[in-house]
Amino acid sequence: MIRFENVSLRYDNNTDVLQDINFELKPGSFHFLTGSSGAGKTSLLKLIFLAGKPSGGKVFLFNQDSARLPRAALPEIRRRIGVVFQEFRLLDHLTIYENVSLPLRVCNIKETQYRSNILELMNWVGLGDRINAFPTTLSGGEQQRAAIARAVVGRPNVIIADEPTGNVDTEIGMRLMRLFAELNKQGTTILIATHDKQLWEGSPYPRLHLEQGSLVPTYGEY
Amino acid sequence: MIRFENVSLRYDNNTDVLQDINFELKPGSFHFLTGSSGAGKTSLLKLIFLAGKPSGGKVFLFNQDSARLPRAALPEIRRRIGVVFQEFRLLDHLTIYENVSLPLRVCNIKETQYRSNILELMNWVGLGDRINAFPTTLSGGEQQRAAIARAVVGRPNVIIADEPTGNVDTEIGMRLMRLFAELNKQGTTILIATHDKQLWEGSPYPRLHLEQGSLVPTYGEY
Amino acid sequence: MAGNSQILPRNSVAGPALGAVTATMCFLACLALGAVLSVNKAAHNWLTQATGAVTIQITDTENLTARDQLQAVERVLKRTRGIKTYEIIPEEKLIGLLEPWLGTGNVTADLPIPVMLDVSLNKEQRFNENGLRIELSAVAPGAKLDTHGRWRQNLERGVQTLRVLASLILILVTIATATVIIFATRAGLGTNKQTVEVLHLIGARDKFISRQFERQFLTLSLLSCAIGYVAAASIFHLLFTLMTDMEDMQFYLLLLSVPVLSILMTWLIIRNFVIRTLAKAL
Amino acid sequence: MAGNSQILPRNSVAGPALGAVTATMCFLACLALGAVLSVNKAAHNWLTQATGAVTIQITDTENLTARDQLQAVERVLKRTRGIKTYEIIPEEKLIGLLEPWLGTGNVTADLPIPVMLDVSLNKEQRFNENGLRIELSAVAPGAKLDTHGRWRQNLERGVQTLRVLASLILILVTIATATVIIFATRAGLGTNKQTVEVLHLIGARDKFISRQFERQFLTLSLLSCAIGYVAAASIFHLLFTLMTDMEDMQFYLLLLSVPVLSILMTWLIIRNFVIRTLAKAL
Ligand SMILES: Nc1ncnc2c1ncn2[C@@H]1O[C@H](COP(=O)(O)OP(=O)(O)OP(=O)(O)O)[C@@H](O)[C@H]1O
Ligand SMILES: Nc1ncnc2c1ncn2[C@@H]1O[C@H](COP(=O)(O)OP(=O)(O)OP(=O)(O)O)[C@@H](O)[C@H]1O
Ligand SMILES: [Mg+2]
Ligand SMILES: [Mg+2]
């Protein structure tokens, strides 16, 4: 589904942020991506959701080389990948409901077809009573949950989440992890970047660990 | 130094976010503020750094009633309170160096007087090699550290930090906590809002715990 | 309901500032065009009268009286291309013209009053002024052709100057407007950079995003161009009413080309600029 | 170095769009004012000539010849307030004026040529036209006063219309500019809302923040008003050169009031608006 082959990345002439990365995410798999602050987790994820191109090597998305995709093909690919951004990236001038429904609107889907789904999803993440609020009036944790709702609403094949529990307490964090696990059971491929040990310790899922831009083996498989 | 007397807060006709809050931060004290997502931690901090007024009760800052401060007196008070915002609030069009030096610039302090201080501080938080980068090119954790540097650079009497370790790994988190502890030893009053158990468990400092908008007693003193 | 709301923040691309500029520019362009149109028409009227007011004056010479030469002149006029009709000005009218100079009752029968002919030209045919002058001097040495040429030239030059000036203003206003629109669009794209990036990342096509920009602009542009046009048209209506000039529908229709072209221009600029910028984005 | 950089993002308040508008508006306002100034001056010249060109024409009556009446007329003229000097037009000149009507050589000695006086008026004193007319008819029944009054009235009305029109344009341009600036400032404050909030929260005073806005605007405003002024002045220079009209320094100095007032207006609007908005902020 997603395959990295000798991928490296550098920003404007600095040292390599990523070096010689090789891994594959099989359909329906669930991985954690760990590494200390500045290790390159977000940079790696950006290569997957097409917010950047590798400086070297190849990134295959759905068996297509990302560097060779024509511009017109990008929206289709991106619609198959749901992203929870580390900094949320909610649009402040739209309500939470509008924010969450955006991935469907850009596909020109009619509101009647998705309204009830969204309301249900909002209840799931605990925002059922705040759908008409604007992002700036939400607490940090609430914004993060809205961002997660937006990432999953379009039923993407792959979900990429960058630090999705950094602003919520352990209890809500576990609840969100159950949401991801549920989606994974239904066949969604999931990749979660986090520095929160609690999240992956004792979980059955494999872990990709970044250290100074390189993947290092963790115990267990990856 | 900071005293809340029967403080309550509600946003536009909703239920009370805070109810009947009473506590005092003595000069040179160090407190944690805990509570689950949406409990009202950020709302409480906003009353301290004058980004909001209580709906009921009184907030005393440096022995002055915050509701009765004339507008012209606000800047002086705010300069004595350093804030680490939950969402960082770095200015994207300024470099990290400019962002961190902003609290000094608005006091019309000459650059020659603070330049070396800032460079030292940047090294402390591990951003010494990125001072001329713009915030959007920093990793989440790096932005958070820049936000902390900006909060402490003006040597304020009080430091308010909202989830200051949400985007860094445990190791850097501990390092930042040592920075706060060091400042506290030098006399700075410190209040840190967090949902991260690791941070306050086993630390010698008292904890204010919010539950559904009210302070509830924790074991030990508060 | 909410599903149909705008995706870009209100006024973030085409705000009231752009609206005020568009309205003002449309107004000024209408004024400039209207001025050219009305002066053109007025000048046309004057020139028609002036060209129609060709006169021939025949005086006595040593050998021939004015009356003697008249027949020869009439023969020439009859066979000259471009002359529709001519008329001999009655003597009383001529005396009336002279009286301010000579005093009432002083013009007596023995005063050598010249014969004057008022010649009307045929607009459709070319009239060869110099040819007629030469022919006349051959058959009637006392005949003098007066075509008010100098006056007409002056008028034509004046109208020409005004036309150039108005075109200059039109061009300047157009350039200024285009500049403002380009910069405003660029600013709008800058302001909405984060939003555009998010839209791209969640799978929006360039066309979808561009439509958001165009939509916001079109509403505003229609409104402000209409305001500019109506303001200018009202002023012209007022002027025409005051000056009891001929006011016609055609004038206002021609003026309508200004807002129509403005909207078209703005739309093309925005669309082009946005699409090109988006193509370079994520 | 970095410490002196702008705190607000470049062009976020006064960007190139506002610059283009300011320049255009300054240009148009200069054109309007310049048009009024030059037409005023030209009209003043014409009116001076016209008013100076008062003529008196004396013809023979039944009892008195023109020459007989001349002395009485001269006496009246000498004691009339507002008359600077007068001059009898020589007979050859009068004949020259009549020749186009009568044909060369036809004006003979026995033709009753009237006596013509060219009267210059004294600008400083009021000249009572009707009074003089009555006095003249009393002493010299053949004398006729001609003050070109109708022509002057027409000219004055034309100039007045133009003045009103130009003032209208000036007012409209001013209103439009002020609107644009207010909206642009509001937009700038909106764009920088987050930045302003952060500045407030870290202890910046309103004055400090306002200065950031004013600073950004002033640079731009100076530049664009200069461009507008120079553009308009160049056009006038060109026109004056073409029309060989008198061109003077004073004209350009008066025109300079437009950019100066524009900058002042913009500055006051921005300052006022920003300070008032900030006072309502955090
Ligand atoms: N656009 C950019 N230009 C230049 N350098 C960048 C850019 N984006 C990231 N970097 C640098 O690359 C390194 C890796 O950044 P990245 O965001 O991938 O880290 P991360 O693992 O996500 O860290 P965190 O856990 O703190 O979010 C950092 O040192 C960062 O400063
Ligand atoms: N400006 C606002 N208008 C309306 N409601 C608000 C506003 N700001 C916060 N709230 C609501 O008040 C409640 C408390 O918010 P607050 O940000 O204080 O929570 P928090 O304890 O900081 O949570 P987190 O740990 O998720 O950041 C939330 O339910 C939030 O939606
Ligand atoms: Mg990251
Ligand atoms: Mg919070």
Side-chain angles (χ1 to χ4, degrees), chain A residues 26-178:
Chain A
K26 296 237 160 60
S29 65
F30 192 131
H31 286 81
F32 286 106
L33 177 63
T34 59
S36 61
S37 177
K41 301 184 291 297
T42 303
S43 302
L44 190 151
L45 298 185
K46 276 185 180 169
L47 297 179
I48 301 179
F49 59 74
L50 296 168
K53 292 218 161 119
S55 319
K58 284 180 174 168
V59 174
F60 290 93
L61 304 172
F62 311 104
N63 291 320
Q64 290 166 285
D65 182 351
S66 75
R68 294 158 141 240
L69 286 169
R71 182 166 173 76
L74 300 185
E76 288 308 330
I77 303 276
R78 284 182 176 138
R79 287 171 191 183
R80 299 175 67 181
I81 304 175
V83 185
V84 183
F85 302 98
Q86 190 171 10
E87 66 280 28
F88 317 149
R89 300 216 189 181
L90 299 171
L91 302 184
D92 282 348
H93 55 280
L94 299 182
T95 64
I96 292 303
Y97 175 85
E98 289 167 342
N99 264 289
V100 172
S101 57
L102 213 48
L104 305 171
R105 273 180 80 183
V106 301
C107 297
N108 295 315
I109 298 175
K110 290 248 165 54
E111 204 201 348
T112 45
Q113 287 172 37
Y114 60 69
R115 184 163 176 85
S116 60
N117 283 348
I118 288 186
L119 296 181
E120 194 188 332
L121 179 61
M122 300 290 273
N123 281 329
W124 226 106
V125 298
L127 293 175
D129 55 338
R130 307 239 39 195
I131 56 165
N132 290 319
F134 288 92
T136 47
T137 71
L138 293 191
S139 83
E142 289 164 345
Q143 288 179 33
Q144 192 154 42
R145 285 175 271 157
I148 292 173
R150 186 180 63 186
V152 306
V153 74
R155 301 224 155 253
N157 301 123
V158 181
I159 289 174
I160 306 287
D162 199 353
E163 213 78 79
T165 58
N167 282 270
V168 295
D169 50 291
T170 320
E171 198 191 320
I172 296 181
M174 285 305 155
R175 189 190 166 98
L176 293 173
M177 283 310 292
R178 278 206 302 283

Side-chain angles (χ1 to χ4, degrees), chain D residues 48-108:
Chain D
T48 316
Q49 285 170 8
T51 318
V54 166
T55 48
I56 294 169
Q57 166 190 316
I58 314 170
T59 44
D60 301 345
T61 61
E62 307 234 329
N63 320 318
L64 296 158
T65 65
R67 295 274 148 207
D68 294 338
Q69 298 172 63
L70 182 56
Q71 288 192 349
V73 169
E74 284 190 273
R75 266 198 306 276
V76 171
L77 286 182
K78 271 184 189 132
R79 67 164 187 261
T80 303
R81 252 170 73 86
I83 288 177
K84 193 158 71 186
T85 168
Y86 64 88
E87 180 191 4
I88 300 167
I89 302 176
E91 199 161 288
E92 309 85 66
K93 208 174 159 192
L94 270 186
I95 292 171
L97 285 169
L98 284 171
E99 267 176 346
W101 290 106
L102 305 179
T104 323
N106 285 326
V107 183
T108 51

